[in-house]
């Protein structure tokens, strides 16, 4: 059974992420989408909220499983009986960061492979942080995030 893990902050999940899940899930028997705690980012949504939104957004993809973890990525991936990490790539700026991370993982966990999927052009400019900023200033985010996420963001901004 080919199992791959797609880790990320997903704060919140966007149509760009979803596009990667849809394409990657066709290449593996199981794709585990794992929300991880990134200490460098101050999230808008809790881990539980992010998991909930991911579950709703990936409901139509039968071989996607959503999970959450904090700790070392390669240890988590091994626990899932996998050695494949899937990440999405947008611009050159993503490359620098992803390249370093992939090499670091490879150094501490030989045998672990990070594979990259190029963004679809219509989502190349979509990022979770961009979406939150756009929504904060009243811009329209329809079509850039799943509908359930759109509602959650608007609700969160009203609560602030
Ligand atoms: P992280 O905090 O780990 O960077 P993100 O939730 O921001 O997590 O992103 C998770 C993964 O999805 C990363 O590999 C990122 O490059 C990728 N990604 C984000 N937005 C897009 C997009 N629009 N198209 C393709 N990949 C994307």
């Amino acid at each position: 059974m080919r199992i791959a893990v797609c880790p990320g902050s997903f704060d919140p999940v966007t149509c760009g992420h979803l596009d990667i899940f849809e394409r990657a899930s066709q290449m593996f028997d199981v794709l585990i989408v794992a929300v991880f705690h990134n200490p460098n980012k101050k999230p808008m949504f809790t881990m539980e909220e992010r998991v909930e939104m991911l579950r709703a957004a990936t409901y139509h993809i039968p071989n996607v499983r959503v999970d959450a973890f904090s700790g070392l990525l390669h240890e988590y991936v091994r626990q899932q009986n996998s050695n494949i990490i899937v990440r999405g790539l947008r611009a050159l700026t993503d490359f620098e960061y992803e390249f370093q991370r992939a090499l670091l993982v490879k150094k501490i966990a030989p045998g672990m492979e990070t594979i990259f999927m190029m963004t679809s052009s219509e989502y190349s400019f979509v990022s979770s942080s961009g979406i939150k900023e756009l929504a904060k200033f009243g811009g329209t985010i329809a079509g850039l995030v799943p509908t359930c996420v759109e509602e959650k963001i608007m609700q969160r901004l009203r609560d602030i």
Side-chain angles (χ1 to χ4, degrees):
M1 181 122 100
R2 286 168 313 154
I3 303 171
V5 174
C6 189
S9 309
F10 307 118
D11 182 49
V13 57
T14 68
C15 290
H17 294 133
L18 207 51
D19 171 65
I20 298 287
F21 305 155
E22 280 166 357
R23 288 158 54 206
S25 62
Q26 290 175 28
M27 298 161 50
F28 301 97
D29 297 308
V30 178
L31 180 72
I32 302 173
V33 173
V35 180
F36 74 88
H37 171 67
N38 184 340
N40 300 320
K41 293 187 180 178
K42 196 178 170 297
M44 177 182 255
F45 297 103
T46 65
M47 297 276 269
E48 291 74 25
E49 287 172 322
R50 286 181 261 162
V51 165
E52 200 181 297
M53 284 186 272
L54 276 164
R55 290 216 169 109
T58 58
Y59 192 70
H60 63 291
I61 321 174
N63 61 334
V64 163
R65 231 170 61 204
V66 181
D67 196 11
F69 80 100
S70 54
L72 287 172
L73 176 60
H74 68 274
E75 284 177 1
Y76 172 82
V77 176
R78 261 202 209 117
Q79 276 166 21
Q80 306 304 312
N81 296 318
S82 173
N83 66 337
I84 302 167
I85 299 165
V86 176
R87 297 278 291 173
L89 269 188
R90 283 160 301 185
L92 221 52
T93 41
D94 273 350
F95 178 81
E96 185 77 35
Y97 171 73
E98 296 292 344
F99 182 59
Q100 270 195 18
R101 269 182 67 135
L103 290 185
L104 195 61
V105 167
K106 191 120 193 98
K107 176 78 187 159
I108 52 181
M112 202 56 65
E113 291 295 344
T114 307
I115 65 164
F116 296 98
M117 294 192 70
M118 206 60 82
T119 180
S120 295
S121 54
E122 66 260 50
Y123 301 125
S124 59
F125 59 92
V126 176
S127 67
S128 299
S129 53
I131 294 288
K132 285 181 280 190
E133 207 172 303
L134 192 60
K136 229 174 257 176
F137 293 104
T140 172
I141 54 171
L144 303 178
V145 289
T147 326
C148 61
V149 172
E150 201 184 321
E151 285 157 11
K152 273 266 189 192
I153 294 180
M154 299 326 262
Q155 195 183 325
R156 183 56 39 96
L157 290 175
R158 276 196 297 270
D159 293 347
I160 291 173

